[in-house]
């Protein structure tokens, strides 16, 4: 099968979905361009700050993409390219894009509050607190996994001590990005430039950072980078969004879009052949397609993390309700297109149906470099830039999830009615204290490495998607809006995630019976998180479903 054919089929499907289904949803739910958004009515200069559509789109897309749309399809390709492609297309349109749109719209209509607030509004304070505990645990998993991935990407030394120039260049460029973002933030906030002017300045900064990164690679080992990442995300999660979060995401969005366009062009000209089978079976190496496929390909099809970004940060920056559709629905479909490109990439590098070895980011960067080298571009330069883009995905997601985790922790101790908290609650609700406790647990988990955390991330992520869909369905029902388009996705995601978490618990408990196979530090920690996530998910889902069925 031609990789170009696969990509064009997906592109046409996503374009039609946006023009037809997305606009129909906007009309059906009553998106109102004349309504005042929370970014204006609750403006505080820290979290609630109105921004241009392009800036918020950059934040949303850079935050939700992460490493997921690249990692998931490449790993799931063991089942063959056809089931992965079908799940990306149908899941992305009818599950993921709908969830992102509904979550952002519901939050904008509820003072820019999180999904937890919406659950409290219709379920009660107990349901909200249980959901916030779930979100906090999930945020810790994301922080731990992505922080370790970024530190590994920045690591300038191989296991044998050899220098890795690509990683060192990515590290230098990423640091320069942070400095450039602060400068860009003050420029955008003080000068209020036009969209074209701000875009030109951002692209110029981007090119300068990349050039300097390539010229001055920074060779530092993994652990110092891990410390740096946690210090950075602590600062990023408490700094006003206009000063760092908005401009950094805006800056990175150009890099990420350039990467997608370059990869798209590369596939067109290289027209690679898919060297893996269309379908390999329902069971591969002990992994069952149900539920493994649907939790492995998460961000490229549907991801609960997106609902946290939509309701946790993006909704507080929406300038006009007309921006909701392109930012949420459009951003998700663009991410789905990236997932399809990742699928084509891994298929092009396979040999006689055997998947290539190496980490997903390395596989992706190698394939895209091969595609573009045929156009005369230097392979080393392309490889470094693609690696930089993948790293930017992960680091930008860390910015957002650290803030989301902090907000969830704060909400656990605050009264949504506006009452003054007691001294203990006020202490834990302090944004610096909340950030510290969130990142402390994340750091301790990150020391175990992302491999110990990743199996739970996918399951927890998709269960969060199911809970977000239920909460949004409740909002639509209670506000006399049609929400039937959310029912099938939420039920299917509940079945998938309960099965995946149950299977994880079964396998971990089974390891206890094998002498020396069960590790308290890694397996025990995974088991505790799996049981907590499953228990919280069942309780919150049951309460929400009961309210949803009620007249």
């Amino acid at each position: 099968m031609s990789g170009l054919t696969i990509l064009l089929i997906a592109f046409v499907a996503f374009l039609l979905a946006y023009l037809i289904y997305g606009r129909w949803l906007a009309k059906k739910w009553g998106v109102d361009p004349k309504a005042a958004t929370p970014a204006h009515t609750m403006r505080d200069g820290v979290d609630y700050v109105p921004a241009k559509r392009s800036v918020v789109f950059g934040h949303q897309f850079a935050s939700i993409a992460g490493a997921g749309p690249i990692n998931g399809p490449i790993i799931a390709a063991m089942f063959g390219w056809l089931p992965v492609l079908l799940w990306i297309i149908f899941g992305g349109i009818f599950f993921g894009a709908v969830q992102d749109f509904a979550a952002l719209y519901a939050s904008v209509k509820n003072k820019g509050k999180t999904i937890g607030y919406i659950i409290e509004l219709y379920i009660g304070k107990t349901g909200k607190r249980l959901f916030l505990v779930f979100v906090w645990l999930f945020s810790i998993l994301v922080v731990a996994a992505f922080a370790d991935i970024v530190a590994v990407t920045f690591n300038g030394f191989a296991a044998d001590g050899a220098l890795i120039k690509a990683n060192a260049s990515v590290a230098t460029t990423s640091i320069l990005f942070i400095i450039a973002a602060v400068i860009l933030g003050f420029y955008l906030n003080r000068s209020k430039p036009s969209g074209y002017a701000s875009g030109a300045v951002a692209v110029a900064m981007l090119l300068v950072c990349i050039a300097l990164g390539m010229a001055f690679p920074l060779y530092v080992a993994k652990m110092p980078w891990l410390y740096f990442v946690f210090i950075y995300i602590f600062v990023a999660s408490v700094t006003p969004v206009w000063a760092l979060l908005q401009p950094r995401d805006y800056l990175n969005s150009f890099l990420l879009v350039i990467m997608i366009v370059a990869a798209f062009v590369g596939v067109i000209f290289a027209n690679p052949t898919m060297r893996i089978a269309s379908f390999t079976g329902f069971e591969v190496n002990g992994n069952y397609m149900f539920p493994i496929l649907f939790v492995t390909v998460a961000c490229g099809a549907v991801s609960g993390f997106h609902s946290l970004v939509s309701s946790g940060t993006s909704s507080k920056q929406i300038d006009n309700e007309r921006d909701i559709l392109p930012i949420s629905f459009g951003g998700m479909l663009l991410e789905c297109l990236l997932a399809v490109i990742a699928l084509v990439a891994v298929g092009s590098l396979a040999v006689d149906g055997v998947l290539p070895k190496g980490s997903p980011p390395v596989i992706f960067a190698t394939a895209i470099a091969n595609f573009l080298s045929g156009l005369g571009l230097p392979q080393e330069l392309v490889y470094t830039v693609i690696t930089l883009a993948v790293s930017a995905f992960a680091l930008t997601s860390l910015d957002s999830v650290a803030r989301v985790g902090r907000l969830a922790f704060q909400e656990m101790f605050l009264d949504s009615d506006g009452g003054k908290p007691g001294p203990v609650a006020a202490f834990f609700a302090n944004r610096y204290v909340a950030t510290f406790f969130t990142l402390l647990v994340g750091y301790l988990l990150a020391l175990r490495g992302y491999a110990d955390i990743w199996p739970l991330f996918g399951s927890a992520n998709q269960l969060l998607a199911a809970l977000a869909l239920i909460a949004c369905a409740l909002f639509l029902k209670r506000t006399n809006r049609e929400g039937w388009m959310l029912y099938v996705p939420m039920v299917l995601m509940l079945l998938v995630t309960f099965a995946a978490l149950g299977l994880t618990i079964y396998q971990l408990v089974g390891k206890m019976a094998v002498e020396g196979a069960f590790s308290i530090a890694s397996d025990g920690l995974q088991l505790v998180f799996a049981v907590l996530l499953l228990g919280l998910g069942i309780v919150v889902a049951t309460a929400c479903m009961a309210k949803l069925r009620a007249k």
Side-chain angles (χ1 to χ4, degrees):
M1 183 71 170
S2 165
L4 177 58
T5 301
I6 290 175
L7 186 58
L8 291 179
I9 290 173
F11 177 79
V12 172
F14 295 144
L15 180 61
L16 292 176
Y18 180 85
L19 295 176
I20 299 174
Y21 191 41
R23 289 179 176 177
W24 178 80
L25 287 175
K27 182 178 180 181
K28 205 73 174 174
W29 291 343
V31 171
D32 184 7
K34 297 180 181 180
T37 63
H40 292 283
T41 60
M42 302 182 67
R43 184 168 186 166
D44 61 4
V46 178
D47 293 315
Y48 290 85
V49 180
K52 291 185 174 72
R53 177 189 299 182
S54 58
V55 174
V56 186
F57 180 89
H59 160 69
Q60 175 82 3
F61 179 65
S63 298
I64 66 174
I70 292 173
N71 285 8
I74 290 177
I75 296 172
M78 61 182 172
F79 295 110
W81 62 262
L82 183 58
V84 177
L85 178 65
L86 292 176
W87 171 231
I88 291 173
I89 293 177
F90 288 99
I93 294 172
F94 298 106
F95 287 59
V98 172
Q99 179 216 229
D100 291 16
F101 187 13
L104 183 55
Y105 179 62
S107 181
V108 169
K109 287 298 188 182
N110 284 277
K111 305 177 183 179
K113 298 291 187 179
T114 64
I115 294 295
Y117 172 86
I118 296 172
I119 289 179
E120 177 186 9
L121 193 61
Y122 302 120
I123 301 298
K125 292 185 178 180
T126 301
K128 172 201 171 184
R129 286 197 164 90
L130 290 174
F131 178 77
L132 289 175
V133 173
F134 181 96
V135 169
W136 188 63
L137 291 174
F138 172 76
S139 298
I140 290 171
L141 287 173
V142 179
V143 166
F146 279 50
D148 185 67
I149 289 174
V150 171
V152 170
T153 305
F154 288 178
N155 182 13
F157 300 96
D160 59 0
L163 300 180
I164 308 176
K165 184 179 179 181
N167 286 11
S169 297
V170 168
T172 303
T173 305
S174 296
I175 292 177
L176 292 174
F177 271 10
I178 296 172
I179 298 172
V182 175
I183 298 173
L184 182 62
F186 278 92
Y187 169 68
L188 294 176
N189 192 56
R190 301 290 171 82
S191 301
K192 308 294 183 183
S194 66
Y196 292 109
S198 60
V201 171
V203 171
M205 284 183 164
L206 182 66
L207 295 176
V208 170
C209 290
I210 293 175
L212 291 175
M214 295 286 291
F216 302 100
L218 187 58
Y219 294 98
V220 179
K222 174 189 171 182
M223 283 309 298
W225 281 127
L226 189 64
Y227 301 145
F228 169 80
V229 168
F230 273 93
I231 293 172
Y232 165 71
I233 59 178
F234 181 93
V235 174
S237 66
V238 298
T239 302
V241 292
W242 65 265
L244 183 56
L245 187 73
Q246 282 182 351
R248 175 179 157 74
D249 291 351
Y250 182 56
L251 192 64
N252 278 340
S253 67
F254 285 95
L255 174 64
L256 303 179
V257 171
I258 289 171
M259 182 193 75
I260 293 176
V261 172
F264 195 94
V265 171
V267 173
I268 291 176
F269 281 91
N271 192 16
T273 300
M274 298 295 286
R275 296 186 173 91
I276 54 177
S278 59
F279 178 65
T280 57
F282 290 100
E283 188 270 330
V284 179
N285 299 326
N287 297 298
Y288 297 95
M289 193 167 72
F290 180 89
I292 300 302
L293 169 64
F294 304 96
V295 297
T296 301
V297 183
C299 295
V302 56
S303 168
F305 173 59
H306 295 190
S307 70
L308 300 186
V309 176
S310 297
S311 66
T313 54
S314 296
S315 62
K316 299 173 177 61
Q317 303 172 53
I318 294 293
D319 182 55
N320 189 295
E321 283 192 18
R322 70 165 66 93
D323 299 338
I324 296 176
L325 178 64
I327 289 170
S328 58
F329 203 93
M332 178 61 202
L333 294 182
L334 183 59
E335 183 181 11
C336 293
L337 189 65
L338 175 59
V340 174
I341 294 174
L343 177 62
V344 172
V346 69
S348 70
L349 292 182
V351 178
D352 296 328
V354 179
L355 297 176
K357 294 182 179 180
S359 67
V362 169
I363 292 172
F364 182 78
T366 302
I368 303 306
N370 289 344
F371 297 162
L372 293 176
S373 62
L375 297 177
L377 295 177
Q379 191 163 8
E380 181 182 356
L381 173 63
V382 175
Y383 180 87
T384 301
V385 172
I386 297 299
T387 303
L388 170 65
V390 174
S391 174
F393 271 128
L395 194 56
T396 305
S397 293
L398 276 171
D399 291 359
S400 298
V401 79
R403 187 176 291 259
V404 166
R406 184 258 291 178
L407 290 171
F409 192 88
Q410 286 180 285
E411 281 194 54
M412 285 191 278
F413 297 95
L414 292 176
D415 188 347
S416 58
D417 295 331
K420 186 176 181 181
V424 175
F427 172 77
F428 285 108
N430 178 278
R431 74 173 186 264
Y432 299 101
V433 175
T435 303
F436 173 78
F437 280 105
T438 301
L439 298 186
L440 175 62
V441 182
Y443 169 75
L444 295 175
L445 274 175
L447 294 177
R448 301 298 308 170
Y450 81 93
D452 286 338
I453 306 163
W454 200 262
L456 279 178
F457 167 73
S459 300
N461 190 25
Q462 302 304 65
L463 180 52
L464 180 58
L467 298 179
L469 284 166
I470 297 173
C472 291
L474 269 172
F475 158 75
L476 293 172
K477 179 180 178 180
R478 293 300 180 88
T479 55
N480 296 318
R481 294 177 171 91
E482 291 188 27
W484 55 265
M485 59 289 291
L486 274 62
Y487 294 167
V488 172
M490 72 186 185
V491 170
L492 289 180
M493 294 316 299
L494 282 175
L495 293 176
V496 165
T497 50
F498 286 160
L501 284 171
L503 184 61
T504 298
I505 294 171
Y506 175 78
Q507 291 172 340
L508 289 172
V509 171
K511 291 180 70 174
M512 292 182 180
V514 181
E515 185 177 353
F518 189 85
S519 168
I520 296 296
S522 59
D523 296 324
L525 190 61
Q526 287 188 63
L527 182 59
V528 169
F529 263 75
V531 171
L532 284 174
L533 291 170
L534 181 60
L536 288 168
I538 291 174
V539 172
V540 175
T542 301
C544 290
M545 292 293 279
K547 290 289 185 179
L548 190 59
R549 290 196 305 267
K551 294 183 179 180

